[in-house]
Amino acid sequence: MANITDIIEEYIKARLGRSSGGAIIFRRGELAEKFSCVPSQINYVLSTRFSSSRGYIVETRRGGGGFIRIIRIPLEESEELLDIVYEKIGDQVGINEAIGLIRYLFEEDIISRREAHLMETVIEVAAPDHSHPEARRNRAVILKSMLMVLLRHKK
Amino acid sequence: MANITDIIEEYIKARLGRSSGGAIIFRRGELAEKFSCVPSQINYVLSTRFSSSRGYIVETRRGGGGFIRIIRIPLEESEELLDIVYEKIGDQVGINEAIGLIRYLFEEDIISRREAHLMETVIEVAAPDHSHPEARRNRAVILKSMLMVLLRHKK
DNA sequence: TCGATAAAGGTCAGAAAAGGTCTAAAGGTC
DNA sequence: GACCTTTAGACCTTTTCTGACCTTTATCGA
């Protein structure tokens, strides 16, 4: 259990715990240096331990001045939405289900009318081919991404 | 965030914010001197951060007495939004242009921060294959659809 | 007046500075 | 031994930065 992935995971969680806004930022190369591992190891840690299904958002930028930012989504108030994201939707979703979900969010006052229209339109336009499996997967990816944004930016 | 480009961008935005008419003027060489960089760095900042899709007009003059003037374009009525839809975007659009535009709308208070994040995420997720022509067309379709929603449902 | 010179800014290619992806091998677990 | 997780490394993409070389404009002196 002393593998480097777990150690880095703990380190990141400790820093997130100390941080004020529930977000930290660092350079991939520096972190790799600190733990004497290859940089891609950091990506492995991020994808296995800080995925969105675990309640994290990871933002990165390449090039000079590049960075990795990890944001923790406060779970207490968001569990319902996260549940929706990872249980109801899964990795594919039909158009009616998706639209139904969006309407539900509006009725529960989780999103505004305008946001609801925005989201519905996106679903219709970006994944129009109704029952094609490819479209079902695409729709799930887009819908989940949008829900993650809502989690991050409370109304 | 220790890169010069971001620092110069902030400096220019601060000066624009303080300015009365939403315009500032300076000498390229002096600015470069101030930030200890080569003059062409200023051009890089201008083209990546003060493009027209982000809501700026840049005017310059060469030779003795030359200058660079940056003008912020306020965005007021929905007619201008329609203009954007039909002129700036067209039937294909790059990712940076699209995101620049979304930020512009946010800065002009036409969309909320949450809507901006929603839209940016959609653009990134739904048309990820950056420079592929198919993705460029797809991006345009999605972006225009979203803008039409904004037009119909005022903030 | 007109041509040379100085004083700007513009362009472009390439280097540098990040982070991303993919695969193969190594390590664990049952 | 089969299967899953972890680790390393080769190679790729994006973004920023630098410098050499080019163009435009103003001014000054013959």
Side-chain angles (χ1 to χ4, degrees), chain A residues 26-94:
Chain A
F26 55 84
R27 264 164 224 272
R28 186 181 75 154
E30 277 177 16
L31 204 60
E33 182 103 8
K34 184 181 185 98
F35 290 101
S36 311
C37 63
V38 293
S40 61
Q41 181 74 35
I42 305 300
N43 296 80
Y44 179 73
V45 175
L46 294 179
S47 60
T48 59
R49 310 293 205 266
F50 296 90
S51 60
S52 57
S53 61
R54 294 181 179 224
Y56 298 92
I57 290 174
V58 176
E59 293 175 345
T60 68
R61 182 140 126 219
R62 299 187 184 188
F67 60 79
I68 292 178
R69 176 185 291 131
I70 303 179
I71 303 156
R72 189 188 42 211
I73 289 161
L75 270 184
E76 317 81 56
E77 326 132 47
S78 314
E79 250 167 317
E80 196 198 348
L81 251 185
L82 247 196
D83 279 358
I84 288 174
V85 173
Y86 287 93
E87 279 157 40
K88 246 186 151 177
I89 302 178
D91 62 355
Q92 55 171 46
V93 70

Side-chain angles (χ1 to χ4, degrees), chain B residues 9-50:
Chain B
E9 176 188 4
E10 285 314 309
Y11 169 81
I12 292 176
K13 284 187 171 165
R15 276 193 57 188
L16 274 167
R18 284 199 306 276
S19 81
S20 51
I24 62 169
I25 189 169
F26 56 85
R27 262 161 225 268
R28 186 181 76 154
E30 276 176 17
L31 204 60
E33 183 102 9
K34 182 181 186 96
F35 290 101
S36 311
C37 63
V38 295
S40 61
Q41 179 75 38
I42 305 300
N43 297 80
Y44 178 73
V45 175
L46 294 180
S47 62
T48 60
R49 308 292 204 267
F50 297 90

Side-chain angles (χ1 to χ4, degrees), chain B residues 110-153:
Chain B
I110 286 166
I111 59 179
S112 68
R113 165 170 269 116
R114 203 199 206 193
E115 288 164 342
H117 274 276
L118 213 47
M119 292 174 71
E120 278 187 36
T121 300
V122 166
I123 288 295
E124 275 162 13
V125 170
D129 200 348
H130 281 204
S131 52
H132 197 279
E134 183 64 54
R136 287 179 60 88
R137 277 192 294 277
N138 222 263
R139 203 151 32 221
V141 170
I142 296 169
L143 186 54
K144 283 197 283 191
S145 307
M146 291 195 291
L147 293 180
M148 293 306 289
V149 172
L150 300 180
L151 265 178
R152 266 186 283 128
H153 302 276

